[in-house]
Amino acid sequence: MEISDRISVIMDDIVTQRVDAIVNAANNSLLGGGGVDGAIHQAAGPELLEECRKLGGCPTGEAKITRGYNLPAKWVIHTVGPVWKGGMCDEDRMLYRAYRSSLELARQYQIRSIAFPGISIGAYGFPIERAADIAVRSVWDFLTEVNTINEVILVCYNQRAFNIYSDALKNVINNIALDQKRSNGSSK
Ligand code: APR
């Protein structure tokens, strides 16, 4: 299955996604919050917070897993993206790792389909175009190495985010195609 067939961008509410796992844009405490964190806890019910309490928090760039309770998704992977501080505090690498840590956990749990929100682009203030490029690259890199996950959905909550994440995905696909054309050309 082509990588481009395994990654998609949609505009929807992440809590309704019928996938094996949805990813939560959490904070280091893992004790809930606003934004998508609040929406996921609201939809999953109080047992989610009860399980989160036992996890002892989560460092930025890492991920931890719980059950999904009342969500359609069986699992919730909680990851903590970086707070944007101007770009000189390793934010890019931390955001890349937040996606990768979530995917590595998904692989460990034999998860086949996973949906991500826009990590760090809300309260954490990460510039959305930059975040979208990092998100797509991190997922793409992982899918080139691992073929057990056959569906990664980037769920956007509004039209602007949808346009930006869709463009980021198109750019990666076009650049890969260009590289392949160049390498085929040079190998002749
Ligand atoms: N489905 C999909 N996306 C959503 C939903 C939803 N139900 N609700 C919000 N979003 C989008 C926001 O519009 C934003 O684009 O998720 C993106 C991430 O925004 P935040 O939820 O603010 O996450 P983040 O920027 O990573 O900040 C994390 O916010 O909620 C707190 O506890 C959380 O402290 C942590 C911080």
Side-chain angles (χ1 to χ4, degrees):
M1 199 173 175
E2 288 291 316
I3 297 173
S4 53
D5 297 328
R6 295 160 61 198
I7 175 171
S8 62
V9 179
I10 67 169
M11 181 163 74
D12 204 345
D13 184 335
I14 196 164
V15 304
T16 61
Q17 299 309 304
R18 312 200 75 78
V19 287
D20 293 345
I22 62 170
V23 177
N24 181 20
N27 58 58
N28 296 117
S29 74
L30 292 188
L31 298 180
V36 72
D37 196 359
I40 289 173
H41 276 273
Q42 171 98 32
E47 293 168 289
L48 179 61
L49 182 57
E50 273 168 47
E51 187 175 355
C52 282
R53 284 194 204 291
K54 299 171 192 152
L55 295 177
C58 182
T60 299
E62 307 292 324
K64 291 194 177 176
I65 194 165
T66 66
R67 307 200 71 81
Y69 300 103
N70 302 333
L71 289 163
K74 183 177 176 192
W75 304 100
V76 179
I77 291 177
H78 305 262
T79 193
V80 182
V83 176
W84 179 254
K85 295 180 185 136
M88 305 303 286
C89 302
D90 216 14
E91 295 99 319
D92 288 2
R93 194 173 67 86
M94 279 294 142
L95 185 61
Y96 185 95
R97 280 192 56 216
Y99 282 88
R100 187 160 187 107
S101 304
S102 303
L103 290 163
E104 280 167 355
L105 205 46
R107 176 177 47 176
Q108 285 170 36
Y109 280 72
Q110 283 87 42
I111 285 162
R112 296 273 178 275
S113 57
I114 181 169
F116 283 91
I119 308 287
S120 284
I121 65 171
Y124 280 6
F126 209 108
I128 184 169
E129 292 83 357
R130 192 180 180 124
D133 288 343
I134 292 167
V136 171
R137 224 168 357 94
S138 184
V139 171
W140 192 281
D141 291 348
F142 187 86
L143 294 181
T144 54
E145 296 161 30
V146 174
N147 59 13
T148 55
I149 297 177
N150 47 40
E151 186 177 26
V152 179
I153 307 172
L154 302 180
V155 182
C156 300
Y157 207 41
N158 57 53
Q159 188 66 49
R160 176 168 175 263
F162 174 77
N163 297 344
I164 291 168
Y165 278 75
S166 301
D167 286 348
L169 179 55
K170 279 181 211 132
N171 290 339
V172 166
I173 292 171
N174 293 339
N175 291 340
I176 302 275
L178 217 54
D179 290 350
Q180 276 162 355
K181 211 184 283 179
R182 280 201 197 106
S183 60
N184 295 345
S186 58
S187 62
K188 281 192 183 95

